[in-house]
Amino acid sequence: MKQLVDELAKQRAGLKDNVSHLIQESLKPLETAVGALRDTVGSFQANLLATEIIAGENFKRLTSAEATIKAL
C-alpha cells in the first residue's frame, strides 16, 4: 500500500510539473502579443497627441484669419 501511495505521489508531482510547464509555454505567445499591442497603443497615443497639437494650431490660425476677415 505504501508503494502505491508513493507512486501516486510521484505521478501527481510529475503531472503538476508538466501542467505548469505547459501553462508557461502557452503564455509566451500571449505575452508577446500583449507586448505588441502595448507598442501599438503607445504609437496611437503619440499620433493622437500630435494630431491634437496640429488641430489646436489650426484653430488658432482659423481664429486669426476670421479676425482678419472681420477687420477687412
Side-chain angles (χ1 to χ4, degrees):
M1 185 66 159
K2 170 98 171 98
Q3 290 175 338
L4 179 60
V5 170
D6 291 344
E7 182 62 30
L8 288 173
K10 275 196 247 179
Q11 287 182 5
R12 185 176 136 249
L15 181 62
K16 181 180 173 185
D17 291 342
N18 288 341
V19 169
S20 176
H21 178 73
L22 287 172
I23 289 171
Q24 289 174 357
E25 288 299 314
S26 56
L27 287 177
K28 287 180 183 178
L30 293 173
E31 289 171 348
T32 301
V34 167
L37 286 172
R38 188 175 289 122
D39 293 344
T40 300
V41 168
S43 175
F44 282 138
Q45 285 176 330
N47 289 339
L48 179 59
L49 179 60
T51 302
E52 288 173 342
I53 290 170
I54 291 169
E57 291 170 355
N58 286 342
F59 183 75
K60 289 177 187 175
R61 289 182 188 146
L62 179 61
T63 303
S64 176
E66 287 175 341
T68 301
I69 290 170
K70 284 181 183 179
L72 295 176

